[in-house]
Amino acid sequence: MTITYSCVANGRAVLAELALTGGSYQEAVATVLKLVLLRAEPKTIMQMGSFVYHTLFIDGITYLCATDNALDTITPSAFLKNMKYNKNQDNTPISTLRSQVTDVKNIMSQNIDEILESENRLSIFTDRTNDLQTTAKESQNTSKALRRMWWKHFRKVIIITVALLLSIIIILLSTKVIPT
């Protein structure tokens, strides 16, 4: 049995690959990666064409190898485990850099969340200010209208009072109650 192809993928994106024999594996690998993501099972074995694809799926990373023998499952399993255990070396500069990038991403996410919360609070404050301005303008308009109505009413009362007084004076003069 020969392992003819191997790759490491994050989701559907192949990060690294090695083909030991000629041939096009891209289409079959794309199909296998899609099925692995849909199933989300830790280990998968699939036959496509003349090759058998073995996968190991851990934390979103897929370790895949293709063999030309469907009967042997021990060798591909050992190969995939070896790939998996070689991936994490905590003392490497790459793992340190990954850790730093993750920290920066977390801080940036927190900052973005805080900015969005600030923007939301500012929006609420602006809306309240606009509501208060509208209410103040409406109140001014209402008080002006009330004042105009009061003056109209007051003028009518004055006119009616003057008319009544004049009527009373005319009546009194016509009856000669008032000496002239």
Side-chain angles (χ1 to χ4, degrees):
M1 185 207 62
T2 307
I3 294 177
T4 58
Y5 175 84
S6 64
C7 75
V8 178
N10 184 1
R12 291 173 137 182
V14 175
L15 303 175
E17 65 181 337
L18 175 65
L20 298 177
T21 61
S24 176
Y25 294 94
Q26 281 77 20
E27 189 175 315
V29 167
T31 304
V32 170
L33 289 174
K34 180 180 175 183
L35 292 173
V36 166
L37 288 172
L38 288 173
R39 292 181 183 169
E41 295 176 2
K43 291 183 180 181
T44 308
I45 300 173
M46 293 178 220
Q47 183 159 0
M48 295 188 138
S50 60
F51 296 102
V52 178
Y53 293 88
H54 301 263
T55 63
L56 182 62
F57 182 69
I58 299 172
D59 296 330
I61 303 293
T62 304
Y63 305 90
L64 179 143
C65 69
T67 65
D68 56 3
N69 184 352
L71 299 176
D72 185 11
T73 60
I74 296 172
T75 305
S77 293
F79 178 77
L80 291 174
K81 285 182 183 176
N82 189 29
M83 286 177 68
K84 175 202 175 260
Y85 289 122
N86 284 334
K87 79 169 179 99
N88 271 342
Q89 296 178 4
D90 291 335
N91 297 333
T92 65
I94 292 175
S95 65
T96 304
L97 186 60
R98 280 185 184 153
S99 173
Q100 290 173 348
V101 167
T102 301
D103 291 344
V104 168
K105 277 179 26 180
N106 290 339
I107 290 170
M108 288 176 67
S109 293
Q110 289 173 351
N111 288 345
I112 288 171
D113 289 342
E114 288 175 7
I115 288 170
L116 291 175
E117 287 176 18
S118 264
E119 185 177 332
N120 189 23
R121 287 193 304 263
L122 182 61
S123 175
I124 290 170
F125 180 72
T126 303
D127 290 346
R128 286 183 182 169
T129 302
N130 290 338
D131 290 346
L132 284 173
Q133 286 177 341
T134 303
T135 304
K137 286 179 183 177
E138 289 173 356
S139 176
Q140 285 177 344
N141 291 340
T142 303
S143 66
K144 285 180 183 178
L146 288 173
R147 199 173 310 123
R148 273 183 271 160
M149 288 172 49
W150 185 86
W151 276 110
K152 281 183 182 180
H153 178 69
F154 183 73
R155 282 185 209 133
K156 288 179 184 177
V157 167
I158 295 293
I159 291 171
I160 290 171
T161 305
V162 168
L164 284 174
L165 285 175
L166 286 176
S167 302
I168 292 172
I169 291 174
I170 292 173
I171 291 172
L172 289 176
L173 285 176
S174 64
T175 57
K176 295 196 180 199
V177 172
I178 302 177
T180 48

